[in-house]
Amino acid sequence: MFPSINSIKKPNKSFNLLHLETQEQYFLSLKVALIPSARSDEIRGKLHLCSRSLVFEPKSSQLPLMKMKYSNGLFMKVIKNFEPKSLGLLLSIRWGPQLMQEDIDQLDLASILNQQKGEQKSNELLDKLYNRNRKNTIQLSCNCFFIKVDKLFIVNRNPISPYITETCDDNILFTISKSNSKQILIRFLKLYQGINQAEDEFTFINQTIQQTLNDSLVEHKQNVGSEGHKIEFVHKVKLIKPEGSIFGLFSIQREEILQFIPLINSPSGKTLQFMFTDIKYFLKYRYMFKNNGIEFWMYNKKRSYLFVFDDQTTQESVFKYFQKKASKHCLSALTKEKIAEEWTNGNMSNFDYLMALNTLANRSFNDLSAYPVFPWVIAEYNEKDFNVNSPTFFRDLSKPMGALNKHRLQKYKAFYKDQLKDKKQDPKPYLYPTHYSSPGTVVYYMIRKIPEFVIKLQNGVFGPTDRIFRGIDSTWFTTLNLHADSKELIPEFYGLDSDFLVNCDKLELGITQDGEVIDDAVIPPWADNAPDFLAKMRIALESPYVQANLPLWIDLIFGNKASGNEAIQNDNLFYPYTYAENVNWDKCKTDIERQALEIQVTEFGQVPLQLFQSAHPQRKLKIQGNLKQSEDEKRELKQQNQNLQNKIQKLTQQIQESQDNDQVLQLQAQLGALQWENEKLKFNLETFKQEMLTNKEVIQTFNSQFDQEEFDKNGFDFLNDDSLLDSSKKPIS
């Protein structure tokens, strides 16, 4: 089933882009060994050169990463042909600024140490971090990096935790492995020198990236040509991933081999290669309000690949090439009108339809700045009753989140009127200071599953405890009442994977002001556990109330009330730069202006591509001929329900008695599946009860599409239904 709502994978424990700051780039790595002290064994690993820091990654994932920022007075010297006998002297000297300016190779270390008698130091911090008694000694002379820095940022990987900041007075020594090529070492040193001498970091980084891409472009063409292969085309490109963007080359060869060759910001350096026949679908993509991307879905991959080209001309050229090769697989032939018709006629679930609209509106799981958005539909998280038959149980879908609290809305409107009085108001007047979907919103909800994302966005910490996702009710309360909060939900709240609600890694998320330890997300009283909560959220999403009112929410997000005068009249106006029409990249005259605009667009939300110009049609209610069930059928359902209850009780007892962790995990998975089945039966029983009381035909509000096994077999896959590919209508591009 596409799209997968488990697209953001839990990152592995090796060094990756999440260990960098926002806007920081990774360049290349050297194999090195850290010498913590004269009496400690060497710690082998890699030294990663990044645009704002050096990061040491030990080979063992049990040991922490060590991040050294240039802004913290980092000073690095290369020592050539370092003699092992001088190790103790080098690490014991107190290196002041004046001494660091000297050529260390030419210094008489013994004499300097003798002059500092009584002031000798030891590497206490490094010894504490990497405490290993020396087993092997350095036998041969080697080249080294000698580093002094005021602060170290310690990145624990097992378990994951916020960075630990340590004041550093240690002498840091790395021996450089002879397995590094001379070319790599020279490039490492040149880049390090260039970064630290550049007057403008942003300009230098951009120039370095472009120079690397241009040189590699020429080299790639020469290499492929010399091997006897013909290139259809090769372009500079960015691969967009949730953790960051990777710069590289996008190449198609005559043999219909598609390659992405990573060059900048790819710690793994792994080349992606596919045959043309691996491609399932592709669609144009608007990235950062620029029409320059294409998203590809593969048959053998769960996640899509989002590539962004230099400009729209290149995008069009590449897109037309793929259109000629496989027109059937081109999603531009999939019209929003046909999708809307399928939903209106009752042939698509609400969940599938919302996923389809998000995809067509250029919302991708690869792009945190334009992540798929789903609505809050339930408004009651305190009561024990899960009553989808009561309208008061639901949120008003005709209003944006910011307008649900009328008292707060009045303050927003007063603020808006004050802006209108200022004739020179720049930017344009707006109601809400924050958007309903942004990278911060996504990682807020996903902190338990992908804490590294939060640590990156929060510059090394989880953030204040009052800003951590504690539970459903507290989040609903703050979203309704806080001035700068109007966030909607993400698709995961209506999926089957509850990992993002459970603190599986036992993260230390903090303690509230009331002394409460933040652990698993607190779920409402009407749900028994996290899987049960998601099951009921999905039931609510497909309920008659939401069926009838969902078009009103679609109008606000994807339709005629998303922008312009309709947005103003419906209290749906956000900060100007969240709208594509207000973002003009050509007006950026300097790199600093462009960087500021990039930060605004990527971090503070984007209004989706508008799909509908008029009010969305209502769903046609599918009335079944005779839904009145016999007493025998009702008794049969009750018996099934009782059998499930017995199985659930038995499994619960087995879990409590079992001492085997693996067995407990298996039993818990079985228990979750049974609870899901039980919820469906309870819902159907309630439906039959109402039918027999009213003796009327009613709408079937729940069916087997919520069973994952049946869903995979028979569920509506809007990307696999050829009847939707209507070439007679104008394509979406």
Side-chain angles (χ1 to χ4, degrees):
M1 183 66 188
F2 171 85
S4 167
I5 62 170
N6 296 314
S7 291
I8 297 187
K9 297 189 299 184
K10 192 173 183 62
N12 56 40
K13 294 181 180 180
S14 59
F15 170 77
N16 57 69
L17 299 182
L18 294 174
H19 294 123
L20 305 183
E21 296 177 3
T22 303
Q23 304 291 323
E24 186 176 10
Q25 310 293 337
Y26 160 81
F27 289 110
L28 74 162
S29 306
L30 289 178
K31 292 180 180 179
V32 298
L34 172 68
I35 311 298
S37 70
R39 61 178 179 274
S40 298
D41 202 1
E42 65 179 12
I43 307 296
R44 294 184 180 181
K46 292 181 179 180
L47 187 63
H48 304 291
L49 175 67
C50 309
S51 60
R52 295 178 185 172
S53 63
L54 293 174
V55 181
F56 173 62
E57 177 190 12
K59 190 173 183 180
S60 170
S61 63
Q62 300 300 314
L63 297 175
L65 300 177
M66 187 170 71
K67 190 176 177 74
M68 300 164 281
K69 295 184 180 181
Y70 307 139
S71 59
N72 293 131
L74 189 147
F75 190 95
M76 183 176 79
K77 279 218 165 191
V78 178
I79 305 177
K80 297 180 180 179
N81 300 317
F82 177 73
E83 294 293 340
K85 63 182 180 181
S86 302
L87 177 63
L89 298 173
L90 182 70
L91 296 180
S92 299
I93 292 174
R94 291 191 175 276
W95 295 89
Q98 184 175 353
L99 195 56
M100 286 292 291
Q101 298 297 327
E102 301 290 338
D103 188 346
I104 297 178
D105 294 324
Q106 305 301 320
L107 293 176
D108 184 346
L109 300 181
S111 175
I112 295 173
L113 185 60
N114 187 52
Q115 293 174 15
Q116 295 181 349
K117 193 172 183 179
E119 299 181 19
Q120 297 180 19
K121 66 177 300 300
S122 60
N123 280 3
E124 296 178 0
L125 177 57
L126 294 182
D127 243 356
K128 180 178 69 174
L129 292 173
Y130 306 106
N131 184 18
R132 286 187 178 180
N133 292 327
R134 180 171 290 282
K135 297 178 182 178
N136 304 305
T137 58
I138 304 174
Q139 300 293 335
L140 303 174
S141 62
C142 57
N143 297 326
C144 299
F145 288 138
F146 182 64
I147 295 175
K148 293 290 292 183
V149 67
D150 297 335
K151 290 182 181 179
L152 289 181
F153 295 87
I154 310 305
V155 185
N156 288 310
R157 299 180 280 175
N158 197 16
I160 299 164
S161 63
Y163 297 171
I164 299 172
T165 306
E166 297 277 9
T167 301
C168 181
D169 188 41
D170 289 16
N171 298 326
I172 304 172
L173 184 69
F174 293 102
T175 60
I176 304 171
S177 171
K178 293 185 178 180
S179 64
N180 297 301
S181 69
K182 184 178 180 180
Q183 291 80 3
I184 290 291
L185 182 56
I186 291 173
R187 177 167 168 75
F188 187 99
L189 293 172
K190 282 186 175 181
L191 279 171
Y192 171 79
Q193 185 179 30
I195 291 169
N196 284 275
Q197 292 180 353
E199 294 182 3
D200 178 15
E201 173 203 348
F202 188 74
T203 301
F204 175 80
I205 298 304
N206 277 346
Q207 290 175 347
T208 301
I209 291 172
Q210 291 306 315
Q211 185 65 49
T212 302
L213 292 174
N214 290 333
D215 292 346
S216 299
L217 191 67
V218 174
E219 183 181 351
H220 177 71
K221 290 179 179 179
Q222 292 174 345
N223 290 342
V224 173
S226 65
E227 294 171 0
H229 302 289
K230 184 172 181 179
I231 298 178
E232 292 285 344
F233 60 75
V234 57
H235 293 291
K236 294 179 289 184
V237 75
K238 282 193 297 186
L239 174 64
I240 309 301
K241 304 180 75 173
E243 56 268 31
S245 301
I246 300 174
F247 298 84
L249 300 179
F250 183 88
S251 173
I252 292 285
Q253 298 177 21
R254 176 61 64 87
E255 294 82 0
E256 295 189 342
I257 297 174
L258 186 155
Q259 277 189 336
F260 171 70
I261 305 165
L263 297 171
I264 300 288
N265 233 22
S266 176
S268 69
K270 185 179 179 181
T271 296
L272 297 177
Q273 182 167 299
F274 306 101
M275 296 300 294
F276 200 93
T277 51
D278 293 333
I279 299 173
K280 187 176 182 181
Y281 299 104
F282 53 95
L283 177 69
K284 285 183 181 179
Y285 192 88
R286 183 188 72 176
Y287 180 67
M288 290 176 60
F289 295 143
K290 301 175 187 176
N291 295 309
N292 58 354
I294 301 177
E295 190 165 17
F296 293 87
W297 290 267
M298 306 292 175
Y299 281 107
N300 57 348
K301 299 290 182 181
K302 291 183 178 179
R303 291 182 61 183
S304 61
Y305 293 95
L306 175 56
F307 294 102
V308 173
F309 299 89
D310 278 351
D311 49 50
Q312 188 172 1
T313 302
T314 306
Q315 177 217 43
E316 290 285 355
S317 173
V318 175
F319 191 77
K320 287 179 180 178
Y321 174 85
F322 281 98
Q323 275 185 310
K324 291 178 182 178
K325 290 288 184 178
S327 59
K328 177 183 175 181
H329 301 292
C330 172
L331 286 188
S332 66
L334 184 66
T335 66
K336 57 182 180 287
E337 292 84 5
K338 190 67 176 177
I339 289 290
E341 181 183 342
E342 288 294 318
W343 179 82
T344 303
N345 290 334
N347 297 326
M348 289 181 78
S349 69
N350 291 344
F351 179 86
D352 279 334
Y353 187 49
L354 288 174
M355 279 309 313
L357 294 183
N358 271 285
T359 301
L360 295 176
N362 294 155
R363 311 289 291 190
S364 171
F365 288 107
N366 292 306
D367 185 3
L368 287 183
S369 66
Y371 202 78
V373 56
F374 267 59
W376 289 90
V377 297
I378 295 175
E380 180 52 68
Y381 298 97
N382 285 319
E383 300 296 329
K384 291 185 177 181
D385 292 334
F386 179 74
N387 187 3
V388 293
N389 298 308
S390 171
T392 59
F393 187 69
F394 293 95
R395 164 250 181 115
D396 184 350
L397 289 166
S398 69
K399 298 178 181 178
M401 286 301 300
L404 293 179
N405 183 330
K406 62 181 181 180
H407 300 293
R408 184 176 63 168
L409 180 61
Q410 291 305 315
K411 294 180 181 179
Y412 286 141
K413 286 187 172 182
F415 171 67
Y416 178 73
K417 289 179 180 178
D418 289 341
Q419 295 173 82
L420 290 177
K421 294 176 184 177
D422 185 357
K423 301 298 182 181
K424 298 181 181 180
Q425 171 69 26
D426 185 32
K428 297 177 181 179
Y430 58 94
L431 274 176
Y432 308 120
T434 59
H435 199 254
Y436 50 78
S437 176
S438 68
T441 299
V442 178
V443 301
Y444 168 82
Y445 289 129
M446 301 284 279
I447 185 172
R448 289 165 179 81
K449 183 175 181 179
I450 47 173
E452 299 92 337
F453 282 75
V454 179
I455 292 173
K456 176 170 182 171
L457 283 183
Q458 296 286 349
N459 294 319
V461 299
F462 282 144
T465 54
D466 60 347
R467 296 183 185 177
I468 288 177
F469 176 41
R470 293 167 52 194
I472 314 304
D473 179 55
S474 59
T475 299
W476 172 251
F477 177 83
T478 56
T479 304
L480 281 183
N481 294 285
L482 288 187
H483 174 72
D485 196 343
S486 56
K487 57 181 171 286
E488 293 280 7
L489 293 180
I490 54 177
E492 283 79 357
F493 278 92
Y494 301 99
L496 299 174
D497 183 3
S498 60
D499 280 358
F500 76 103
L501 298 171
V502 182
N503 189 8
C504 300
D505 293 332
K506 299 303 175 185
L507 305 170
E508 295 183 3
L509 298 173
I511 301 175
T512 67
Q513 294 179 351
D514 299 330
E516 176 190 352
V517 176
I518 302 176
D519 194 20
D520 295 345
V522 180
I523 59 175
W526 44 254
D528 296 332
N529 48 43
D532 183 53
F533 167 71
L534 294 187
K536 287 176 176 173
M537 288 287 284
R538 186 68 170 269
I539 290 171
L541 182 67
E542 306 296 338
S543 66
Y545 177 89
V546 177
Q547 301 273 20
N549 291 278
L550 187 59
L552 302 175
W553 186 83
I554 292 173
D555 289 341
L556 294 170
I557 307 300
F558 303 107
N560 63 318
K561 298 176 183 177
S563 62
N565 290 330
E566 286 287 342
I568 297 173
Q569 293 173 14
N570 288 276
D571 301 323
N572 195 35
L573 194 62
F574 296 88
Y575 191 74
Y577 291 128
T578 61
Y579 297 89
E581 59 266 27
N582 295 326
V583 175
N584 188 340
W585 295 101
D586 294 334
K587 286 188 176 181
C588 296
K589 298 179 181 179
T590 66
D591 288 334
I592 294 177
E593 289 179 355
R594 180 171 292 275
Q595 184 184 27
L597 188 55
E598 283 183 0
I599 292 173
Q600 167 63 48
V601 172
T602 56
E603 296 186 15
F604 296 98
Q606 300 173 21
V607 172
L609 187 70
Q610 187 172 342
L611 299 179
F612 306 104
Q613 305 302 320
S614 58
H616 193 284
Q618 289 290 322
R619 188 163 195 165
K620 298 174 184 177
L621 303 182
K622 294 183 71 176
I623 305 299
Q624 298 188 4
N626 181 16
L627 288 178
K628 182 173 174 60
Q629 303 296 319
S630 66
E631 288 293 339
D632 290 341
E633 290 174 314
K634 185 177 178 182
R635 278 195 294 271
E636 183 180 349
L637 277 173
K638 283 187 174 182
Q639 185 60 49
Q640 291 178 20
N641 181 256
Q642 185 60 49
N643 292 339
L644 274 175
Q645 292 285 0
N646 293 338
K647 289 181 180 179
I648 289 172
Q649 186 176 2
K650 184 178 179 180
L651 270 177
T652 303
Q653 185 176 355
Q654 288 179 323
I655 291 172
Q656 293 172 347
E657 295 175 353
S658 177
Q659 301 296 321
D660 187 337
N661 289 336
D662 291 336
Q663 185 184 25
V664 168
L665 290 174
Q666 293 176 1
L667 292 173
Q668 286 176 336
Q670 295 176 31
L671 180 61
L674 287 177
Q675 288 171 332
W676 177 261
E677 291 292 333
N678 189 46
E679 286 301 328
K680 291 191 297 181
L681 278 174
K682 285 164 61 179
F683 192 84
N684 281 334
L685 278 169
E686 180 62 27
T687 301
F688 290 152
K689 179 181 177 181
Q690 292 177 20
E691 291 164 5
M692 297 184 74
L693 287 173
T694 59
N695 197 25
K696 293 181 179 180
E697 294 179 338
V698 295
I699 304 165
Q700 185 180 12
T701 60
F702 191 82
N703 55 48
S704 62
Q705 69 183 346
F706 300 110
D707 183 292
Q708 185 61 37
E709 184 177 350
E710 288 296 314
F711 192 55
D712 288 339
K713 291 179 182 177
N714 305 317
F716 184 87
D717 185 346
F718 80 96
L719 296 184
N720 279 332
D721 191 336
D722 291 344
S723 67
L724 299 181
L725 300 177
D726 186 353
S727 58
S728 65
K729 295 188 178 181
K730 185 178 179 180
I732 299 171
S733 58

